[in-house]
Amino acid sequence: MIRSELLQEMAEAHPQMRPEEIEQVVDIFFEEIGARLAEGGRVELRGFGAFSTRPRDARTGRNPRTGQAVDVPAKRVPYFKPGKEMRDRLKVV
Amino acid sequence: MDMMRSIGTLTRADLAETINRKMGFSRTESLALVETILERMCHALSEGENVKISGFGSFVLRDKKERIGRNPKTGIEVPITPRRVMTFRASQKLKDRIAQTG
């Protein structure tokens, strides 16, 4: 499923809404999640899962092309943990 | 655990609240919209489809084979049934945004 397919299914589920409105709603949804993570916060969507960020220490990396050492600064990386309901729904039958 | 925690947790209700404020839909409608987004993504994933949202990231399914595990308390070996797991791969855009938090 890609974004446009999600919009399509949203439109079918909410026929009273205009496609542009659906698009804005979906944009707000993902934008708000990204914004909260960028602030260092957490996002918890019961049944689906939880988004958070985790710290990564600074390290010395290498340019894979030249082999030259480069300093990679400490940073935060996104993390997602699927919820129990989601995990159960993925079960292979 | 870390100080970043002090920023509150965003929930369905907060997302609905923002939709209500920015779009003018009722609270009930806004919450229903949030629920549909999650339900449609859940549905696609449960049907074995990956979900890719450009600019945000992808939810990717992976099939795990059966393996032998161990009950950490008793040390008894138990088979871990084959299963499908879901991982999230953030887009470069989201990674860059979060990395800047420091």
Side-chain angles (χ1 to χ4, degrees), chain A residues 1-3 9 14 24 31 35-36 38-40 42-46 76 78 80 86 89-90, chain B residues 2 4 7-10 12 23 36-37 39-40 42 49-52 84 86 88 90 97-98 101:
Chain A
M1 169 188 261
I2 58 172
R3 195 171 162 283
E9 293 191 16
H14 300 271
Q24 286 178 58
E31 170 51 34
R36 182 59 59 105
E39 287 166 17
R42 195 181 143 78
V43 181
E44 218 171 277
L45 302 165
R46 283 281 154 75
R76 297 193 76 83
F80 174 76
M86 185 71 244
R89 273 181 78 171
L90 293 180
Chain B
D2 56 323
M4 290 285 190
I7 298 159
T9 299
L10 190 82
R12 277 177 171 73
M23 304 289 300
T36 309
I37 297 175
E39 168 48 35
R40 293 333 292 168
C42 246
E49 262 185 74
N50 290 341
V51 173
K52 187 176 179 182
R84 180 169 283 166
M86 154 188 178
F88 175 64
R97 231 176 135 184
I98 289 168
T101 324

Side-chain angles (χ1 to χ4, degrees), chain B residues 8-64:
Chain B
T9 299
L10 190 82
T11 63
R12 277 177 171 73
D14 301 313
L15 289 163
E17 163 72 29
T18 307
I19 292 165
N20 160 265
R21 187 162 42 80
K22 292 195 172 171
M23 304 289 300
F25 296 142
S26 74
R27 273 159 207 281
T28 317
E29 268 179 319
S30 301
L31 203 53
L33 285 159
V34 169
E35 211 51 67
T36 309
I37 297 175
L38 292 169
E39 168 48 35
R40 293 333 292 168
M41 290 202 294
C42 246
H43 179 260
L45 289 158
S46 68
E47 299 276 290
E49 262 185 74
N50 290 341
V51 173
K52 187 176 179 182
I53 307 295
S54 55
F56 184 76
S58 312
F59 297 95
V60 184
L61 297 168
R62 291 176 59 193
D63 287 323
K64 302 275 205 177

Side-chain angles (χ1 to χ4, degrees), chain A residues 3 7 10 18-29, chain B residues 23:
Chain A
R3 195 171 162 283
L7 294 176
M10 291 284 296
R18 296 198 315 254
E20 315 87 80
E21 292 176 321
I22 298 267
E23 194 157 3
Q24 286 178 58
V25 165
V26 170
D27 282 346
I28 292 170
F29 180 90
Chain B
M23 304 289 300

